[in-house]
Amino acid sequence: MSFRRLRKCIATVALSGTLPDKLEAAATIGFDGVEIMESDLLSFDGSPADVRRICEGLGLATYLYQPFRDFEAMPEPQRSRNMDRAERKFDVMQALGTDLTLVCSNTQAATIDDDSRAAADLREMAERAARRGLRIGYEGLSWARHVRLWGHAWRIVQMADHPALGLIVDSFHTLSLGDDPSGIAQVPGEKLFFVQMADAPKLSMDVLSWSRHFRNFPGQGDLDVTGFMRAVLASGYSGPLSLEVFNDDFRSAPARLVARDGLRSLILNEAEASDGAGLPAAPVLDGYEFLEFAVDESTGRELANLLETLGFRHAGRHRSKAVDLYRQGSVNLVLNAEQDSAAAEHFQLHGPSICAMAIRVDDAARALERASELLCPEWQERTGAGERQIPAVRAPDGTLIYLIEPEAAGRSFWEDDFELLPGVGEPAGLDAIDHVVLALPAGRMATYVLFWRGVFGLEPQSQLDTPDPYGLVQSRALISPNGKVRLVLNASESRATSTGRFVSAYAGAGVHHVAFSSSDIERTAKKYEVRRASLLTMPINYYDDLSARWGLDDAALSALQLQGLLYDRDDAGEFWHLYTDAFHDRFFFEALQRRAGYAGFGAANAPVRAAAQARQYSIATSLL
């Protein structure tokens, strides 16, 4: 199949703000056109002709005006009134400058269950539209009275047999009912008048409520939107791809942010349905090279002291900047107190925080090209004399993601940019960064899933809801295909949960949790104890439950409790971990050990950890 970039469109209902706000956002981000929703037009303080002038001034095409509801197969006198209503709709379409309207299948109890009657009504409507140079698209609505499936709608379109009448398909209406989209490939491309795309999480609820509140962009949910798009492309369809998304979070988010996510999702969805054609392959990831902390002089000293209690050593000083390197095993942590830098800007906004992470990739140039195609341009930080320029992009929260290629010459950028120091002190057995956890504001998870999935090829795992003493935390992991990069996204509606408190302290999204792997977690715990690392204390009840749940013997249980370790297992292996106290209420560290094939993150222990953090926070605030 040859790849072609179809025109990209978004329905105004997917964006927040007034109609002019929505149109401006769609044009600025790069959409080719829009669907004008009737509700947006009705609330606009101007004429349809004014909307047309705004769109033309922004370079936007108006591809569709919708919806036209409850039209076909109605008894008289409703049928005659519907034909009159259609004529008024045609007046609006001509003033808007669009030639296509969407007729969704009838939901009324009075509609007649007769395909020939529906076809006759649609044919007459199409004939009237054709006299004005207009077209009608018929769509099966997933909660309609009789016509819910795209195949049923297509049979009616075929029965009506009018050149001005075609089929409109919508991925949500098809996939939410478990309908098979593969047959769309057999519909002649010229009879597919319009294609609407939407994804959604898998939920157990009535389809109408699901549709009206929980749709999201392709790649953000659980539906097979790639299979749907593959069938559309196979049909020979050459019209616009449009996003018709009803989502409460999207309606309250900045319009440009949502529009960028939407366009990114369509580009990715079309490329994936074309077996990757037209989009550079996702980078092959080989783990985290370093994490960079934005600090000032005083918080830098505090963080350095904390890291030393965890077995990190001061391993280098930047040759031209106020930047220090701390190392243990293959873990590199950079403390950046340089003024007039991206880190300094991050510190001013968020306080001590992780401002950048570096990921090892097989080909940085290809990774940058892919990122650019997905609306994520390269970021270039100021460099000093002789300092390497490391390519980077920005994550949605502003965190820099550096791209580190394998060293061809055998000399690393660490040697070029840093005065490396000899090793002093004994490590605590940490050997790598196992995963990084981001705390997100409520309603933002879908943005981050799309970014990390699209730009870096991480694979989203199932979402979990974990209890906190003050609410629920939604958690979703993303893992690279080879398992070498793991990222966890946490979000909460409550500002009082551990995640909510971190978001408040950060004044936004950011990394709030870094997990290091250890090959001997008991040795690591003992080293922490010797260095008096500040660790979370777990309640006795937790260990009593462990004994009952897993049948651990007394010796194993005593060892866990003595070291403050938490424990979990699954069908593949075992998992041990422990946590530090939070640093300035912004981030904390975890040490863990995986045995055999354990692939999770200790989610069963998250409520215990959250309760311990709540107790720590309560004690700390009571002392202020």
Side-chain angles (χ1 to χ4, degrees):
M1 182 190 304
S2 61
F3 182 76
R4 56 194 177 278
R5 286 192 178 275
L6 300 178
R7 291 163 290 164
K8 305 301 188 294
C9 175
I10 190 168
T12 54
V13 72
L15 302 173
S16 65
T18 64
L19 182 55
D21 292 336
K22 299 177 183 206
L23 298 175
E24 187 275 337
T28 299
I29 295 304
F31 280 95
D32 300 300
V34 290
E35 298 178 34
I36 301 293
M37 297 294 291
E38 185 175 59
S39 56
D40 285 312
L41 180 62
L42 294 180
S43 62
F44 173 63
D45 186 20
S47 69
D50 292 333
V51 175
R52 179 176 183 169
R53 283 190 287 273
I54 293 172
C55 288
E56 289 175 346
L58 293 169
L60 287 173
T62 303
Y63 290 126
L64 180 73
Y65 179 52
Q66 71 130 326
F68 194 97
R69 298 184 185 278
D70 301 325
F71 171 75
E72 81 283 12
M74 291 294 283
E76 292 290 1
Q78 290 95 330
R79 182 182 183 280
S80 296
R81 287 201 293 264
N82 280 344
M83 292 299 173
D84 293 339
R85 185 160 58 97
E87 293 288 354
R88 292 196 295 274
K89 179 81 74 171
F90 298 156
D91 294 338
V92 174
M93 291 169 62
Q94 290 181 311
L96 285 173
T98 184
D99 73 334
L100 181 63
T101 190
L102 180 152
V103 177
C104 53
S105 53
N106 206 320
T107 64
Q108 293 298 308
T111 185
I112 302 166
D113 187 10
D114 183 341
D115 287 359
S116 60
R117 177 66 180 275
D121 289 349
L122 288 167
R123 180 177 177 81
E124 181 174 341
M125 185 182 186
E127 179 61 29
R128 293 180 180 222
R131 293 173 195 150
R132 302 199 193 192
L134 305 177
R135 299 179 299 149
I136 307 299
Y138 184 53
E139 173 189 73
L141 194 65
S142 52
W143 58 89
R145 177 65 59 172
H146 302 300
V147 182
R148 301 185 183 93
L149 305 182
W150 73 266
H152 192 175
W154 172 231
R155 290 195 299 273
I156 293 173
V157 169
Q158 290 176 296
M159 191 180 300
D161 190 24
H162 194 285
L165 177 66
L167 179 68
I168 292 179
V169 292
D170 182 302
S171 61
F172 178 83
H173 291 313
T174 298
L175 300 173
S176 64
L177 297 178
D179 192 15
D180 182 4
S182 61
I184 295 173
Q186 307 305 316
V187 177
E190 66 274 11
K191 292 302 287 185
L192 267 182
F193 277 9
F194 205 71
V195 173
Q196 295 173 320
M197 298 300 300
D199 205 341
K202 288 187 177 178
L203 300 172
S204 297
M205 58 173 25
D206 67 278
V207 179
L208 177 57
S209 298
W210 190 13
S211 171
R212 284 287 179 257
H213 301 283
F214 297 102
R215 294 197 206 189
N216 50 25
F217 294 136
Q220 293 180 326
D222 301 315
L223 304 181
D224 183 18
V225 290
T226 301
F228 183 93
M229 178 62 71
R230 190 171 286 119
V232 167
L233 296 178
S235 75
Y237 176 72
S238 60
L241 293 180
S242 187
L243 295 164
E244 188 192 43
V245 172
F246 300 83
N247 184 290
D248 295 346
D249 291 329
F250 292 6
R251 291 188 184 104
S252 61
R256 288 192 186 185
L257 183 151
V258 174
R260 184 180 302 276
D261 283 353
L263 186 52
R264 178 178 289 153
S265 77
L266 283 181
I267 294 168
L268 182 63
N269 182 231
E270 185 181 4
E272 289 180 338
S274 306
D275 298 321
L279 189 65
V284 178
L285 308 182
D286 190 37
Y288 294 95
E289 177 66 22
F290 68 81
L291 299 179
E292 181 177 338
F293 294 79
V295 294
D296 61 6
E297 185 176 351
S298 62
T299 57
R301 285 196 300 269
E302 284 185 66
L303 182 54
N305 291 336
L306 169 59
L307 294 178
E308 287 172 355
T309 69
L310 303 182
F312 287 87
R313 64 178 178 84
H314 188 202
R317 179 77 175 177
H318 199 279
R319 296 183 187 278
S320 62
K321 298 179 180 177
V323 178
D324 290 281
L325 169 64
Y326 285 79
R327 271 183 171 164
Q328 185 174 180
S330 65
V331 181
N332 297 299
L333 303 180
V334 174
L335 276 57
N336 190 336
E338 177 71 8
Q339 297 183 9
D340 190 26
S341 66
E345 177 186 344
H346 204 274
F347 182 85
Q348 291 300 318
L349 291 172
H350 304 292
S353 52
I354 292 178
C355 60
M357 60 180 77
I359 298 176
R360 294 188 292 272
V361 301
D362 63 326
D363 187 330
R366 190 183 80 243
L368 285 175
E369 185 182 359
R370 179 182 177 90
S372 179
E373 289 288 326
L374 292 170
L375 312 180
C376 186
E378 181 179 3
W379 168 270
Q380 291 190 345
E381 173 71 309
R382 178 180 62 85
T383 57
E387 184 182 355
R388 291 239 199 136
Q389 179 72 59
I390 304 175
V393 296
R394 275 194 182 274
D397 62 335
T399 299
L400 288 176
I401 314 296
Y402 289 105
L403 308 173
I404 308 293
E405 280 187 343
E407 297 290 343
R411 180 178 174 86
S412 73
F413 72 91
W414 297 113
E415 296 168 288
D416 288 343
D417 294 359
F418 284 78
E419 296 177 4
L420 298 178
L421 305 174
V424 177
E426 186 179 354
L430 305 179
D431 49 37
I433 296 172
D434 183 88
H435 63 274
V436 173
V437 184
L438 276 68
L440 310 178
R444 293 294 308 281
M445 178 133 1
T447 290
Y448 287 77
V449 169
L450 182 63
F451 171 81
W452 285 100
R453 178 179 174 272
V455 176
F456 289 99
L458 299 188
E459 297 174 345
Q461 311 300 300
S462 298
Q463 181 172 301
L464 300 174
D465 290 335
T466 60
D468 180 283
Y470 300 102
L472 282 178
V473 175
Q474 298 173 327
S475 185
R476 192 168 193 185
L478 296 98
I479 304 174
S480 64
N482 60 12
K484 293 187 177 182
V485 170
R486 300 180 181 94
L487 187 79
V488 180
L489 307 176
N490 287 343
S492 178
E493 297 281 350
S494 170
R495 297 182 63 183
T497 62
S498 58
T499 297
R501 292 195 303 274
F502 286 120
V503 169
S504 295
Y506 261 105
V511 175
H512 78 114
H513 172 184
V514 179
F516 306 116
S517 62
S518 169
S519 58
D520 186 344
I521 192 66
E522 288 192 22
R523 175 175 175 268
T524 297
K526 289 174 183 176
K527 293 293 184 181
Y528 281 6
E529 183 179 7
V530 169
R531 292 184 172 88
R532 297 187 178 181
S534 182
L535 304 178
L536 276 181
T537 302
M538 299 301 156
I540 295 175
N541 290 336
Y542 168 75
Y543 296 98
D544 291 340
D545 179 68
L546 275 187
S547 176
R549 184 153 43 108
W550 298 119
L552 300 177
D553 60 41
D554 290 343
L557 197 64
S558 296
L560 290 172
Q561 187 170 355
L562 180 65
Q563 303 298 334
L565 290 167
L566 296 94
Y567 176 82
D568 191 30
R569 73 169 67 147
D570 60 18
D571 293 339
E574 297 177 282
F575 185 71
W576 298 262
H577 55 149
L578 76 166
Y579 299 94
T580 70
D581 291 341
F583 183 82
H584 284 239
D585 295 328
R586 283 171 170 78
F587 53 82
F588 59 95
F589 300 107
E590 176 184 6
L592 61 84
Q593 182 179 358
R594 300 174 184 272
R595 182 170 294 172
Y598 184 95
F601 300 87
N605 296 324
V608 181
R609 184 260 300 162
Q613 288 174 324
R615 286 193 298 273
Q616 177 206 43
Y617 179 77
S618 178
I619 292 170
T621 53
S622 69
L623 296 176
L624 295 179

